[in-house]
Amino acid sequence: MALLQDTRKLAQLLLKDRKIDRSGFDQIMTRLTEKSKTVTGKQGHYSKAVEQNGADVIRFISGLNIRSAGRKNKVVGEDEIVKSVAAHFKLPYKKLDPLDLDINVVTRTIPKPFALKHMIVPLSEQDGVLNVALIDPESHEAVDGIARVTGKKINTILASPDDIQRIINEFFGFRSSVSKAEEQISGPHIDLGNLEQLNRIKRPDQIQSNDEHIKNAVDYLFNSALELRASDIHVEPKREVSLVRFRIDGLLHEVYKVPKGIHQAIVSRIKMLSRLNIAEKRLPQDGRIRLEYEDGSSEIRVSTMPIAFGEKLVMRVLRQEMLLRDMESLGFFPEDLIKLERSLHKPHGIVLVTGPTGSGKTTTLYSALGLLANSEKNIVTVEDPIETICPDFNQVAVQPSIGVTFSSSIRTILRQDPDIIMIGEIRDYETAENAIQAALTGHLVLSTLHTNDTTSTITRLLDLGVKPYQINSSVVSIIAQRLVRIVCADCAVETKYSKKKLASLGVKIDRSEVALKEGKGCQECRFTGYKGRTGIYEALEMDDTVRRMIQEGQSVISIRKHALKHGMTTIRDDLVRKMLKGVTTLSEVLRVGSGF
Ligand SMILES: [Zn+2]
């Protein structure tokens, strides 16, 4: 019997390859016997397990979570099993990355039912050779079928059942929705007897965005963005097509090309979901969509902008579990975390988080509020716009067009008996004054400012017109932050650097030599060498000396000198510290740290 139709044979291969040990093998055999008994019992007349395909056999073994023989804290998953199978048949194994595939090759070669039945997907084409991913190299029927239909030579690649299933769902789902919608819009099947169809042609805009296929395509779009951990989705009309790009760990990747005819329908659907004015196409608009799914929820912040070839959409994906995190998981070094938590537990005062846009300030603020939230505290936020809806907070959105500004909102909130107030951003004197007033009347206030570091925040407040005594009586601490990319754990290698070499790059260390990590690129990190991002921080706690220096009008430079002498570590120090710990790389230090 073929290898992937026989669980025992496959288990023997894994044992031979030292993927599992003897007890793992016995575990598989025991469960196999149990399983065939159940099958026999149910069906009554089967002497052994019903016929299965390769995907079932692989999933059966990986579903048992057998401990890996080589790496004790890992279990043998689909990928490990498929790697063994690939080596056995001397075929290449590939971890499928949706961002690498050509949607036209994937979906136009074979129909979805065929792909699903045989668990096979064409990936790309090169010089007349079609690269096809499948699970069972001994199931020739499917490969022969594709070769016959396309007339092309087939290059077989093995991939895991999960990967193949995901590609089929994602690509065929999106593609078929888009092409069905395209058919309807260009209208080759007009039934003149059907009034509804006529209506469609008369009022394409309105009908299109409600079209079932467009709805599906947009759903698929959001699903794949979540699956790929995208932070932003861009839908950009070009002259011929519309491009869909995802930002993942800070970099943009092109994911789909959508026919130009569909662009406006997709934009309208998204505008409708975010309650924007669909008819208004000449002015920029902002809105939001709430997505609920099985294990959580996300908020999509939508902004539209008219450009030369139509309306461009940029959507920011805000995952609640990403915004509201454990303070420890934000990347604070223990001493900075202690400083921050000490400030957060003060009964009143202002805690400021500063940095440019996209430096993770909001995550820090939300997580801090999450830490403070309990049923005895009334937490109120004023935001522009509300980043994500949290049931634990009372959130107010600023709407300057109807006169609801930061400062008018704070005045209203103060009459609502709050304990903790979060102000999205301090941009003007009025808001600053209201924040100070709130702090002086017994509230803890958290807010952000657009400044580079902790000490320049003091200058910024003075520039806004805040008096030194106002700062001194309210501000308890200032946190400045940035984000850096985290080295991919799957492909990191160490390189030794001497103190001299690093000094020549402007990086000071106290040892004569260090080993630094750098990702060499792998499937897991899409060959970027990085996976995820973490914060780097500088925390300034206001002490009596700092207050006196502000009062005396001393320069920011001398305040900074004092803070550094008393143990403040700078963003750059934190960055170098994270590089030495192997969290991030020298290249990130040179890239992010050049501004300090
Ligand atoms: Zn990697």
Side-chain angles (χ1 to χ4, degrees):
M1 207 192 303
L3 176 69
L4 285 183
Q5 281 172 21
D6 189 335
T7 310
R8 187 188 180 86
K9 265 195 193 168
L10 182 56
Q12 278 165 342
L13 175 69
L14 295 175
L15 184 63
K16 193 187 101 225
D17 282 356
R18 294 168 194 264
K19 291 276 166 73
I20 56 173
D21 55 19
R22 180 50 70 175
S23 83
F25 179 82
D26 293 343
Q27 208 181 328
I28 297 173
M29 285 303 114
T30 315
R31 294 293 292 272
L32 183 65
T33 320
E34 283 167 16
K35 183 183 162 206
S36 56
K37 267 189 203 143
T38 359
V39 173
T40 317
K42 264 188 209 148
Q43 310 276 337
H45 54 273
Y46 279 105
S47 58
K48 58 188 189 98
V50 284
E51 194 194 331
Q52 332 177 69
N53 62 33
D56 293 337
V57 173
I58 292 173
R59 281 176 172 153
F60 171 69
I61 296 183
S62 69
L64 299 178
N65 290 329
I66 309 261
R67 285 215 175 177
S68 163
R71 297 150 90 188
K72 282 291 175 202
N73 51 354
K74 289 226 168 186
V75 295
V76 179
E78 289 190 357
D79 292 327
E80 286 305 304
I81 301 172
V82 178
K83 275 180 201 164
S84 262
V85 175
H88 178 76
F89 287 103
K90 300 194 170 57
L91 287 168
Y93 156 83
K94 192 169 162 51
K95 179 117 195 82
L96 301 184
D97 184 344
L99 300 182
D100 284 345
L101 310 184
D102 180 340
I103 189 165
N104 289 329
V105 173
V106 177
T107 56
R108 288 199 176 146
T109 317
I110 52 169
K112 186 179 180 185
F114 184 88
L116 266 181
K117 179 170 177 241
H118 298 282
M119 289 295 273
I120 189 166
V121 272
L123 304 176
S124 55
E125 201 192 315
Q126 246 174 344
D127 312 324
V129 178
L130 195 62
N131 294 313
V132 172
L134 50 84
I135 289 161
D136 188 351
E138 290 177 286
S139 89
H140 301 293
E141 189 194 339
V143 177
D144 293 348
I146 296 181
R148 228 180 10 255
V149 173
T150 58
K152 290 190 176 110
K153 220 173 148 290
I154 308 289
N155 178 36
T156 309
I157 293 162
L158 298 193
S160 73
D162 266 3
D163 277 9
I164 291 187
Q165 184 88 47
R166 201 180 71 220
I167 299 289
I168 293 174
N169 290 346
E170 236 174 60
F171 278 64
F172 283 88
F174 184 78
R175 177 88 228 174
S176 72
S177 302
V178 165
S179 55
K180 278 178 195 151
E182 195 182 17
E183 251 170 45
Q184 271 182 0
I185 290 166
S186 54
H189 310 300
I190 304 163
D191 178 3
L192 284 178
N194 186 331
L195 266 176
E196 199 201 328
Q197 289 280 8
L198 274 178
N199 240 340
R200 279 207 168 133
I201 295 168
K202 272 185 189 159
R203 299 166 57 203
D205 213 54
Q206 192 186 5
I207 311 281
Q208 281 162 31
S209 61
N210 282 310
D211 184 286
E212 207 53 45
H213 304 304
I214 290 294
K215 281 187 191 167
N216 289 338
V218 170
D219 284 355
Y220 282 114
L221 187 67
F222 287 148
N223 276 324
S224 42
L226 290 171
E227 185 146 329
L228 292 168
R229 302 180 294 111
S231 59
D232 301 83
I233 308 169
H234 293 228
V235 183
E236 311 170 18
K238 302 279 174 200
R239 190 184 293 275
E240 308 286 342
V241 290
S242 175
L243 276 189
V244 178
R245 299 197 290 170
F246 289 168
R247 188 178 295 282
I248 302 166
D249 291 339
L251 297 177
L252 276 174
H253 300 263
E254 186 180 317
V255 193
Y256 299 120
K257 274 198 183 89
V258 179
K260 195 62 188 289
I262 302 297
H263 174 81
Q264 194 52 48
I266 287 184
V267 169
S268 299
R269 169 73 186 157
I270 294 171
K271 282 166 84 176
M272 199 188 82
L273 287 173
S274 43
R275 302 191 185 168
L276 298 181
N277 180 354
I278 296 178
E280 178 56 79
K281 296 183 182 132
R282 293 158 309 164
L283 292 175
Q285 298 184 66
D286 294 306
R288 62 181 57 234
I289 303 170
R290 187 163 181 79
L291 295 180
E292 302 272 351
Y293 41 93
E294 253 174 47
D295 45 351
S297 66
S298 285
E299 202 138 302
I300 311 264
R301 227 160 67 191
V302 182
S303 91
T304 74
M305 191 174 71
I307 59 171
F309 299 112
E311 260 181 299
K312 176 180 164 155
L313 282 188
V314 176
M315 291 171 271
R316 169 143 279 202
V317 185
L318 298 155
R319 248 160 289 203
Q320 204 166 78
E321 68 268 21
M322 292 299 288
L323 270 176
L324 262 169
R325 288 170 44 184
D326 235 327
M327 294 299 288
E328 264 115 64
S329 71
L330 297 179
F332 279 102
F333 263 79
E335 56 267 42
D336 285 344
L337 188 59
I338 292 168
K339 277 189 205 167
L340 178 57
E341 291 195 346
R342 196 158 50 205
S343 312
L344 291 174
H345 285 105
K346 293 236 155 98
H348 54 85
I350 302 179
V351 175
L352 294 169
V353 180
T354 79
T357 308
S359 57
K361 299 190 294 280
T362 312
T363 304
T364 305
L365 278 193
Y366 269 92
S367 305
L369 290 179
L371 176 85
L372 297 169
N374 63 44
S375 55
E376 291 141 34
K377 293 251 166 78
N378 177 13
I379 298 181
V380 188
T381 74
V382 202
E383 299 166 77
D384 178 21
I386 292 172
E387 290 277 347
T388 187
I389 312 281
C390 282
D392 289 345
F393 320 147
N394 301 299
Q395 295 168 291
V396 178
V398 168
Q399 284 171 289
S401 57
I402 55 165
V404 182
T405 61
F406 272 117
S407 67
S408 72
S409 303
I410 300 166
R411 284 195 298 270
T412 315
I413 285 166
L414 285 173
R415 290 193 286 271
Q416 295 255 325
D417 187 30
D419 296 294
I420 299 162
I421 305 170
M422 191 264 257
I423 302 168
E425 195 190 334
I426 295 179
R427 291 179 202 155
D428 48 35
Y429 174 72
E430 221 186 343
T431 310
E433 198 196 15
N434 284 303
I436 292 162
Q437 210 48 48
L440 292 179
T441 49
H443 306 93
L444 182 69
V445 179
L446 311 184
S447 189
T448 73
L449 258 96
H450 270 256
T451 51
N452 266 332
D453 56 43
T454 53
T455 35
S456 64
T457 307
I458 298 168
T459 322
R460 175 86 182 118
L461 287 172
L462 294 169
D463 287 348
L464 285 179
V466 179
K467 301 277 179 301
Y469 77 87
Q470 289 179 300
I471 299 177
N472 286 342
S473 56
S474 59
V475 179
V476 291
S477 68
I478 306 171
I479 312 286
Q481 73 172 88
R482 296 290 187 280
L483 293 176
V484 277
R485 292 188 286 167
I486 300 174
V487 182
C488 169
D490 287 279
C491 64
V493 288
E494 286 194 342
T495 312
K496 292 221 163 83
Y497 285 89
S498 67
K499 185 173 183 167
K500 209 173 142 200
K501 170 78 184 154
L502 287 175
S504 74
L505 295 167
V507 180
K508 271 186 238 153
I509 53 163
D510 49 14
R511 276 163 274 172
S512 62
E513 191 185 66
V514 282
L516 302 180
K517 282 200 177 142
E518 187 91 33
K520 58 186 198 305
C522 69
Q523 295 278 357
E524 283 299 317
C525 59
R526 310 207 152 77
F527 299 96
T528 58
Y530 297 96
K531 213 173 166 191
R533 289 189 290 178
T534 188
I536 43 172
Y537 306 91
E538 171 178 309
L540 173 71
E541 236 179 342
M542 302 280 283
D543 60 21
D544 290 342
T545 316
V546 173
R547 293 203 170 97
R548 183 180 48 79
M549 293 172 94
I550 294 175
Q551 194 59 45
E552 288 169 357
Q554 295 203 28
S555 74
V556 166
I557 296 168
S558 34
I559 296 176
R560 198 165 176 81
K561 265 193 196 145
H562 161 81
L564 290 174
K565 219 169 95 194
H566 288 80
M568 182 177 85
T569 48
T570 65
I571 287 187
R572 192 182 167 84
D573 294 337
D574 196 13
L575 188 52
V576 171
R577 207 156 44 171
K578 287 201 166 71
M579 172 189 80
L580 293 173
K581 277 195 93 182
V583 175
T584 193
T585 64
L586 176 61
S587 345
E588 279 293 270
V589 170
L590 298 177
R591 183 179 72 89
V592 181
S594 61
F596 302 99

